[in-house]
Amino acid sequence: MDDKHKREQILVRSCQLPTANLDPLKSVGFIGSNQGNLLYQFSTHRALVRDDVDVRTISYGKFGKGPVEERAEWINSECDRLVLPLSSSFRLQNLKNLDAWADLIERLTVPVTVVGIGAQLRLQEVRNGTFLPGRVTGITASAAEIAEHEAAARRFVAAVMDRSESIGVRGEISKKYLEYLGFPSDRIDIIGCPSLFMWGPDFRMPEKSVRLGKRSKLSLSFDHRISSTAGLLDRTITEYPRSTVYMQETIGAKMIITGEETRATWPGDPRFPVKKAHRAYREHRLEYYPTAWSWIRHMESYDYAFGPRLHGTVAATLAGTPAHLMVHDSRTLEVAQHHHLPHTLIEDMGPTASAAELASRQDYSAFNEAYRGNFDQFMAFLERNSLKSAYDAPGEALAAFDASLEAPARAVGVVSDKTPSVPVRRRLSLAVKALKGQIR
């Protein structure tokens, strides 16, 4: 460690700086393909901000690109410990990343703490106790592909455990998955999703009933890969004229930012708003906000939010807006169960399910009752891994960090078919410059 470093140096892997305030189009290149990533990364970062440490961001690129020896040498020289907030990383399509991460971690000499990692399994696999990883679409893999994935997962977890006291997982299902892979139970801590601990130990949700009317503002966070939810999405858009769909994935956000199609073809259900021809696009009902903080602040204006996207539910919850998670796989189920989020299994919903039906089941009493105990579990995990928490001794650093978020929290969002496309804006800018030149 360089002599100039007086305080403990912590690097937190993140898509972008928590204080970043990028324009909408640039911002979608720094969300890891889904803006939900920012919520658990920034919450972990905030939990570590103290007067006696320096918490910095290591970008996806710095962490994952270039010669692995150079990256390992840089990390070892730049920090006292590395913190990796992760999500459903034990999933089939993440195999190459698991191996690449293991390549790097095996070369590190500093402690490595993994926060909030989880498995992605189909609910049927969970019930059967077979723990075969699946995809959101429900497609399973070949035996060879599964064996390769499990080998990569074992290698990654082993490398982490060699450099930590324990690994923090999102829920009971993920813990059982790692036990299934052969890891000891006492080295696996269930901590939930750190995103829900963003506001510290005293956070509570209002415990009030939700009554929806035609004028109610609803925010929908849907996943076009879950075909069984298309009908509910379509009915909600019709029944609630002030309902909108939040586009937290890069490809959907780009469509409303640029005004250009981002999918040449769409073989799926046309009731999902993935093309400009969809009525929600034409009616200015697709939205994207360029920072996590502006997304949360915008959600304060809604009466209710629901959908199968976990962090769509989390963003609303952090805003104090009642939200309902539609559960479709192991990752959504275990987080909902651990945190006692209001939720319903999609498979239990009938063909005429409605927003009002979900709202009638809204109850945050269990969430509030469990919150402090869950928060304390998260704090105990950090302490076990020699990480001091901001909430043990809130100081000037945390106050300054929160103050630095005010500008990105005011970032202006983009609404479909209202904001000029990027090419149009550029043409307008050039026209203004030319006019100024003529005036001179």
Side-chain angles (χ1 to χ4, degrees), residues 75-275:
I75 292 171
N76 286 330
S77 67
E78 283 292 315
C79 72
D80 296 296
R81 56 184 65 246
L82 174 67
V83 177
L84 304 178
L86 297 173
S87 57
S88 51
S89 298
F90 300 124
R91 62 186 190 275
L92 287 174
Q93 61 268 45
N94 205 45
L95 183 146
K96 289 184 178 179
N97 279 338
L98 288 172
D99 268 331
W101 297 345
D103 278 344
L104 176 63
I105 293 170
E106 288 167 353
R107 290 171 167 82
L108 297 182
T109 57
V110 297
V112 177
T113 306
V114 168
V115 182
I117 197 168
Q120 182 172 306
L121 314 169
R122 294 189 303 164
L123 292 180
Q124 191 60 45
E125 302 295 347
V126 175
R127 293 173 184 136
N128 293 343
T130 47
F131 297 101
L132 301 179
R135 299 182 175 90
V136 172
T137 54
I139 299 171
T140 54
S142 67
E145 186 179 3
I146 290 172
E148 189 179 7
H149 176 273
E150 290 181 353
R154 287 191 185 94
R155 183 185 172 206
F156 169 74
V157 175
V160 170
M161 285 189 171
D162 283 345
R163 292 156 183 81
S164 62
E165 291 300 315
S166 65
I167 187 168
V169 299
R170 281 183 162 188
E172 185 67 36
I173 296 170
S174 292
K175 180 171 184 175
K176 288 180 178 178
Y177 177 71
L178 291 188
E179 290 172 342
Y180 162 79
L181 293 182
F183 294 100
S185 176
D186 63 355
R187 300 286 304 280
I188 308 166
D189 291 333
I190 297 174
I191 61 172
C193 182
S195 60
L196 284 157
F197 302 128
M198 181 77 81
W199 305 138
D202 300 320
F203 178 70
R204 290 182 66 84
M205 280 296 291
E207 295 181 21
K208 59 183 180 181
S209 59
V210 178
R211 296 182 181 179
L212 300 182
K214 291 294 183 183
R215 295 291 297 164
S216 296
K217 285 189 67 179
L218 277 64
S219 179
L220 315 178
S221 58
F222 272 73
D223 189 327
H224 58 271
R225 296 166 295 183
I226 308 173
S227 59
S228 60
T229 62
L232 176 56
L233 171 65
D234 193 57
R235 288 192 296 277
T236 304
I237 290 174
T238 299
E239 294 170 8
Y240 299 91
R242 299 180 74 197
S243 62
T244 62
V245 180
Y246 193 83
M247 308 296 278
Q248 65 186 69
E249 279 195 321
T250 295
I251 193 167
K254 277 186 175 179
M255 179 178 71
I256 64 173
I257 293 167
T258 66
E260 300 169 355
E261 296 284 8
T262 49
R263 289 181 174 88
T265 59
W266 170 241
D269 195 313
R271 290 176 292 181
F272 288 114
V274 300
K275 301 280 285 183

Side-chain angles (χ1 to χ4, degrees), residues 356-422:
E357 179 185 339
L358 295 179
S360 70
R361 303 186 195 135
Q362 206 67 20
D363 183 2
Y364 273 102
S365 58
F367 173 88
N368 287 334
E369 185 177 350
Y371 183 85
R372 187 54 189 258
N374 286 339
F375 181 85
D376 288 345
Q377 279 182 252
F378 180 42
M379 294 297 102
F381 164 77
L382 295 180
E383 183 178 0
R384 182 180 182 184
N385 287 277
S386 301
L387 286 162
K388 294 179 287 187
S389 164
Y391 309 115
D392 293 337
E396 294 180 4
L398 182 59
F401 177 81
D402 286 346
S404 72
L405 306 179
E406 185 55 35
R410 293 195 303 268
V412 178
V414 181
V415 178
S416 63
D417 212 26
K418 273 193 174 182
T419 304
S421 68
V422 171

Side-chain angles (χ1 to χ4, degrees), residues 335-357:
V335 173
Q337 289 180 333
H338 181 78
H339 292 280
H340 297 274
L341 289 169
H343 67 280
T344 299
L345 268 65
I346 290 175
E347 62 188 35
D348 291 341
M349 297 169 60
T352 59
S354 66
E357 179 185 339

